[in-house]
Amino acid sequence: MNNYKVASYFDEMLQDENKPKPHYQRFHRLMEQYTEDELREKHETAQMNFLRQGITFTVYHEAVGTERTMPFDFIPIIIPTDKWAQIEKGMKQRVSALNAFLDDMYHDQEIIKDGLIPRELVETNPNYYHSQVGGLDIPLNNHIFLAGIDLIRDEQGEYRVLEDNLRNPSGMSYVFQNRYVMRQVYPELFFQHSIETLEHQLSMLHQSLLSHVPPNAIEPLAPTAVLLTPGMFNSAYYDHVFLAQQMGIELVEGRDLYVRDDKVFMKTIRGLRRVDIIYKRIDDDFMDPEAFWPDSELGVPGLLRAYQKGNVSILNGIGNGIADDKAMYAYVPDMIRYYLNEEPLIKNVPTYFLSDKAQRDEVLEKLDQLVVKNVGASGGYDLLIGPQASPEEREQFRHKIMENPAKYIAQPTIKLSRAPAFQGDDFYPCHVDLRVFVMGGKDSHVLPGGLSRVALKEGSLVVNSSQGGGGKDTWVLTEGEINHA
Amino acid sequence: MLSRVADSLYWMARNIERAETNARVLSVQLIHMLEVSEQHVSNRDWEEIIEISASLSDYYSGHDGIEREEVIHYLTQDRQNFNSISNCMIYARENAKATRDMIPDGLWEVLNQYYLEHTGESRFSSYQQAQHALQLTMQTSTTAQGIVESSMTRGVPYAFLKIGKWLERAEKTARILNVLCEKTLKEKQAANVSNYYYWLTALQQVNGYNAYIKEYPPTMKPEHVLSFIIDNRGFPRSIRYCIDHVMEAIHHLEDGKISHYSQQLFHTLATVQEEFTAAHIDDMSTEELMAFLDRFQNRCQEMSRLFSETYYLIDPVKIK
């Protein structure tokens, strides 16, 4: 790691150029023992592993889909026990408040009446489905079966929430596959570390799923659950396959389901079979052409009625989109205080609202220092990274903001933490973030670790897989581990 | 099991089987080409190969004549030919992708690897290269079948895979024999020597030469070859064997019971079995044999249709 520079960023692994942080000491020592050839060979083996297993996502360009693997980097993100305990608690707190908010929004809207959140922010949200699901009581009052919360670390190494994903958070399969490939290709790294295993996590996910029994289930003790996918052309299809397979539930497409007398059935070789719980991985507006977007070919006509009558559970809840867009994000700390009467354990990134004139003026003044995001977009699209953008791009965004200020928010560019990456030639620092998965049901549970995403293009800040980001294994050390180091 | 998934399994097996047989038929032809100097390989030989592995009329709708390299490309890699080996393997992989939660990981990986390494190739530049690719296709198919046999539970998904394979195989064997009969008919006056060669080719195309020789050493009488390929109950590529096993698999699927919805399927299968028992392959003239094989190919389509109806199978995965 001779040419590696820590610079002014927070580095996950290194104190300075020569000295690893305590929880990375052992790993660092092992890493130094590899020869250059070994490193290169192992790197290639690992990439091939993903391709051969078809662990791919699909990138669409001009309507042509290409299957790609997510590049894998072998240097894990290691999280010490106490740090993880803090994240875990913070995540449970946040998701619990978000769930309370969703339940409130589709019932009495107390938080609006109390003046903490502007009514129009909710009512103008395209993902607000009051007429469809307002007033409905759902199993366990739980709207969030699986959340993916994206965390970053700032210059001081403090974890902050960057984004909430409460609709279709993808990537859990990669957590497992990264670990699997890591164990296959770099088994020697595990011998001297004691880390939280992932082994029972999927059965916990399954239990969570089955705890959402609809009121009118015929066999409440043995409900039938399915995973509803848009199909094999969806970019996250592998994620869907993996989850269905591991939970032992059917992977269905819209055309496999059929609603009769407001009950949902799947079409099997023996005829129709009743379905009680649907874990949907398609967007709300594609779900039922009778209730949402009428041209959807992915959906199931009549599904919403079955849901309204309590004949089927649908997870994550319909209408979750009002809680996880980039504008509502800024209010989550308030939600935590309002619903839980607690202070947020993991903070937000400071956020400017561009519909507010004073804030907007301030932002337009210093576009070259800020990140501007479309509140409804995801995957790194419609995004301006001020310091890296050309004057033309900044000008373009200035117009976009003036035209539709409510559509955008701005945040300071945080010096995202970095970690070393090795992609075949040399070690170099790359920005990382962490998607933490939170399961909800009878109990709430956080998957230990999560998906560490890394911006592998040198200097890039974008970690999304659709834009050249890669993945790393994430190790949560078990209690006492640090002391042996 | 979901009907859509059952359908994908069924078509995956058919496509793998189709790719394998098409590869073998072409491979046998390429070897034959080496043995009898090139001038003696007539256009008609190639037309027969196309007729077995694809459709001659489709071929001529896009080509003016027979040109060796072009035919090889058409049968192996041409994406315009629905039955080209590449297409069959791509469809098989798509079907596997749609059923990944039902099949062994190893099966998906074998098909995925073939797809990654062999479906994007440029045209073959040599005989060796083509032959190598054909061997690889056959190997992939046998590996895939091995994985199915060694690791799949004998349940519903397994039954659908096997039924797909046997129906495809039975139909293809009938087709090979039909083309062969037509050929012998056209060349009635030709010497026995060349006839010997025809029967040998048929046995090679169905991968049955070694098995045949053990049963009928060392003669090559047409009636022996025909009854071996059509009616032998132990040879796993004979039409009889395939139909018996489709019947067995469906019996298993239905727990030995014939229900209202499966009645017609059982009836048709039983009829086909009876037709085989009643037929005396040995005594048939070539014309009678051809009529028999024609009827059987229609029966295959009927069985395939009834099978789909009985289990509510829906469109196979649409290829984009």
Side-chain angles (χ1 to χ4, degrees), chain A residues 31-101:
Chain A
M31 203 177 85
E32 301 261 275
Q33 287 166 15
Y34 289 126
T35 64
E36 248 177 73
D37 284 345
E38 272 173 333
L39 279 173
R40 208 166 301 128
E41 197 189 307
K42 278 172 180 284
H43 172 73
E44 271 156 34
T45 312
Q47 310 302 323
M48 274 313 295
N49 229 306
F50 282 95
L51 194 62
R52 202 165 38 88
Q53 289 186 66
I55 304 169
T56 54
F57 61 93
T58 311
V59 183
Y60 285 92
H61 180 67
E62 287 166 359
V64 181
T66 317
E67 288 175 26
R68 276 213 229 134
T69 56
M70 179 150 115
F72 174 70
D73 187 75
F74 87 97
I75 300 170
I77 297 298
I78 302 179
I79 306 176
T81 316
D82 52 341
K83 203 83 199 160
W84 177 252
Q86 192 193 337
I87 295 175
E88 194 177 13
K89 236 171 132 188
M91 292 302 97
K92 283 186 181 172
Q93 179 195 52
R94 189 172 179 100
V95 171
S96 160
L98 284 163
N99 191 57
F101 169 72

Side-chain angles (χ1 to χ4, degrees), chain A residues 51-54 67 232-233 237-238 241 245 249-253 255-256 266-271, chain B residues 1-4 6 93-94 97-98 100-102 108-109 112 116 156 160 253-254 311-312 317:
Chain A
L51 194 62
R52 202 165 38 88
Q53 289 186 66
E67 288 175 26
M232 60 193 282
F233 300 104
Y237 181 68
Y238 179 73
V241 170
Q245 193 173 31
I249 61 176
E250 294 279 0
L251 179 66
V252 306
E253 295 178 18
R255 57 186 166 142
D256 298 324
M266 57 180 159
K267 301 174 193 165
T268 78
I269 57 167
R270 312 285 186 197
Chain B
M1 188 170 54
L2 291 174
S3 295
R4 174 180 56 81
R93 175 183 179 265
E94 302 274 294
K97 202 174 172 187
R100 273 186 75 166
D101 55 331
M102 291 285 165
W108 155 255
E109 283 176 25
N112 189 42
L116 293 171
V156 176
F160 275 78
L253 209 53
E254 295 298 319
Y311 296 105
Y312 311 102
V317 179

Side-chain angles (χ1 to χ4, degrees), chain A residues 320-380:
Chain A
N320 277 12
I322 49 166
D324 70 354
D325 80 2
K326 292 180 173 76
M328 199 55 82
Y329 159 87
Y331 291 98
V332 178
D334 289 335
M335 295 175 196
I336 294 173
R337 291 182 198 106
Y338 181 81
Y339 295 110
L340 308 180
N341 215 359
E342 294 172 10
E343 272 306 303
L345 297 169
I346 306 281
K347 290 186 188 129
N348 268 13
V349 174
T351 303
Y352 299 95
F353 280 102
L354 299 182
S355 43
D356 179 287
K357 176 140 185 353
Q359 293 188 37
R360 181 169 67 239
D361 289 345
E362 190 187 339
V363 165
L364 291 176
E365 274 299 297
K366 50 178 187 182
L367 267 185
D368 56 342
Q369 299 164 33
L370 300 172
V371 179
V372 181
K373 297 173 178 175
N374 179 328
V375 296
S378 64

